[in-house]
Amino acid sequence: MESTRNKLIQLLADNSEQYISGQLLSEELEISRSAIWKHMKELEKDGYQIEGKSNKGYRIISYPDKLSENTIRWGLDTDWIGKSIVHKESTTSTQHIAHDEARNGASHGTIIIADEQTNGKGRMNRSWFSSKGKGMWLSMILRPRISPQQAPQLTLLTATVLADVLHAYCHVTPLIKWPNDILLNNKKTAGILTEMQAEQDIINYIVIGIGLNVNQSESELPEEIRHKATSLFIETEKEHSIKGLIQEILVAFEKAYDQFIKNGFPDVKRKWESYGFKIGEEITIKTLRDHFQATFLGIEEDGALRIKRMDGSTEKLYSAEIDWFDDNENHAII
Ligand code: BT5
């Protein structure tokens, strides 16, 4: 049943410029014309707008905003990303599914998307709140031919893509808090989790997970993160289409990724630094041995933090705790 319905949507989508006759649909799907008519009524109940004309047939006019493989694919103008989409209404974590799919050979550019995650993952075993229908909970499977050492560059690239899309599409002013949090008004609206399966010099696959808070009101954010988290709805006082955001992000990601593969990291680094939170400002850094003030200069090719000590010497940092907000609370462990 489900696959007949998907085929029907696909046929309508492929012919959206013209009408497709009931006769042709019934031949293609090998079901009766009255069964076609019943399917159309079901689609309309789900929010698809379908025009039926007695002598011409059917034509799809618009898709519902709710997420499904079909609605995401409809109007997605990409060459390789999102050609294969797995959508779940509810799942533990899209990262789990992505790893399973990747191990089973899923292609470069496969997308996993969920309306809700019951066990969303942050970095280092932290959790990510992913309430139903309120945000974009997405994982992408990539099979880049770059060295495993370059993988952090893809996380930084993803952050710049998110910042670009939020700026252009939602008219907000995002900043990227090193390495990968997207802030609006100093509060986190998106996070990125990159996981990799690699051998010594070869990446088998990378899964990039993006969590983006879209339509939560303040009271819909869990109390424990309310003081440091936000959503596009809170910042713009407008609801945004999650489907639309997914499509914008996929299109922008594909473009940025292709450019990165062609031209390397310098453009990404420049863009990242143009969004970098506290670049050029003083931050408090704690390492295992040390506790000091330094100026945040930018990022290195390998994703490390570049800082200038008070004595003028510059340094690369991989492992430290940073007091970004000078409140001793919002520490990012590198
Ligand atoms: C991240 O980790 O920011 C990476 C988040 C990645 C989530 C996506 S959703 C799709 C895919 N599937 C998954 O299971 N995960 C990925 P990290 O930098 O460790 O930040 C985690 C911290 O952010 C938590 O400890 C909370 O303090 C805070 N946090 C949790 N949920 C949040 C939310 N919805 N909005 C803002 N902050 C949140």
Side-chain angles (χ1 to χ4, degrees):
M1 196 68 171
E2 185 60 32
S3 81
T4 307
R5 184 188 154 115
N6 281 343
K7 274 191 219 151
L8 174 59
I9 296 169
Q10 196 59 52
L11 280 168
L12 289 164
D14 291 345
N15 292 281
S16 61
E17 301 295 312
Q18 71 232 13
Y19 292 89
I20 178 164
S21 72
Q23 182 62 36
L24 193 65
L25 288 173
S26 115
E27 280 164 19
E28 290 280 339
L29 299 172
E30 296 173 343
I31 54 175
S32 69
R33 290 183 67 168
S34 71
I36 297 275
W37 187 81
K38 277 189 202 143
H39 273 296
M40 295 294 181
K41 291 290 137 203
E42 289 298 313
L43 289 180
E44 278 172 1
K45 270 196 222 148
D46 280 352
Y48 291 83
Q49 258 189 301
I50 291 160
E51 190 181 28
K53 283 216 168 142
S54 48
N55 292 330
K56 293 181 166 172
Y58 300 97
R59 191 167 71 100
I60 200 157
I61 296 173
S62 74
Y63 272 59
D65 205 41
K66 79 178 195 194
L67 299 183
S68 74
E69 281 136 43
N70 284 314
T71 58
I72 296 167
R73 195 169 291 125
W74 166 258
L76 177 64
D77 190 12
T78 56
D79 288 333
W80 54 265
I81 202 163
K83 292 292 154 190
S84 167
I85 299 171
V86 178
H87 168 254
K88 302 276 176 199
E89 281 181 12
S90 182
T91 187
T92 50
S93 157
T94 53
Q95 295 291 103
H96 293 158
I97 299 182
H99 283 289
D100 285 347
E101 295 279 331
R103 274 192 294 269
N104 289 326
S107 57
H108 177 66
T110 298
I111 297 303
I112 326 294
I113 188 96
D115 295 343
E116 166 189 57
Q117 297 184 118
T118 51
N119 193 14
K121 285 165 50 172
R123 295 174 304 144
M124 288 168 280
N125 278 330
R126 292 191 282 250
S127 53
W128 182 261
F129 296 104
S130 326
S131 52
K132 192 168 188 100
K134 293 286 175 180
M136 185 190 83
W137 325 127
L138 172 142
S139 298
M140 316 189 262
I141 299 171
L142 301 171
R143 299 186 184 273
R145 285 193 209 104
I146 56 174
S147 73
Q149 290 72 28
Q150 283 175 286
Q153 297 180 346
L154 280 177
T155 312
L156 300 166
L157 175 142
T158 307
T160 66
V161 167
L162 285 176
D164 270 353
V165 170
L166 297 190
H167 182 62
Y169 192 70
C170 308
H171 313 295
V172 288
T173 309
L175 290 176
I176 307 172
K177 179 162 82 63
W178 187 85
N180 61 5
D181 291 354
I182 308 293
L183 303 182
L184 295 175
N185 282 325
N186 286 354
K187 290 178 166 188
K188 182 163 173 172
T189 193
I192 301 164
L193 169 66
T194 302
E195 294 175 310
M196 173 168 66
Q197 177 54 249
E199 279 146 48
Q200 203 139 30
D201 313 313
I202 296 175
I203 294 174
N204 290 330
Y205 67 83
I206 291 185
V207 176
I208 298 185
I210 306 174
L212 169 65
N213 298 329
V214 181
N215 286 327
Q216 297 98 327
S217 64
E218 213 164 309
S219 62
E220 284 170 329
L221 289 173
E223 214 174 320
E224 62 258 49
I225 59 165
R226 224 170 267 167
H227 62 291
K228 58 177 181 181
T230 190
S231 74
L232 291 171
F233 176 76
I234 296 169
E235 297 302 322
T236 62
E237 296 177 352
K238 269 200 300 225
E239 292 225 350
H240 295 268
S241 157
I242 296 173
K243 185 188 79 176
L245 280 162
I246 293 171
Q247 293 180 330
E248 294 288 332
I249 288 167
L250 294 182
V251 168
F253 184 88
E254 181 179 279
K255 197 165 160 223
Y257 178 95
D258 287 344
Q259 270 168 9
F260 163 69
I261 295 296
K262 205 165 129 216
N263 304 330
F265 190 59
D267 291 345
V268 179
K269 175 175 148 65
R270 205 170 309 120
K271 179 148 258 179
W272 193 101
E273 288 176 343
S274 75
Y275 285 116
F277 178 63
K278 294 234 165 153
I279 288 211
E281 292 180 38
E282 227 171 78
I283 52 178
T284 307
I285 296 174
K286 286 183 212 163
T287 65
L288 280 178
R289 288 166 284 119
D290 229 352
H291 178 186
F292 58 94
Q293 299 287 109
T295 309
F296 178 23
L297 294 180
I299 50 166
E300 300 281 349
E301 294 251 321
D302 54 3
L305 197 74
R306 191 155 41 88
I307 55 142
K308 185 162 87 180
R309 292 221 186 212
M310 290 306 157
D311 65 8
S313 61
T314 57
E315 223 171 282
K316 254 168 108 163
L317 278 188
Y318 291 96
S319 182
E321 213 174 302
I322 299 166
D323 200 350
W324 289 104
F325 298 97
D326 282 330
D327 60 1
N328 280 316
E329 203 229 326
N330 251 301
H331 289 159
I333 318 261
I334 302 165

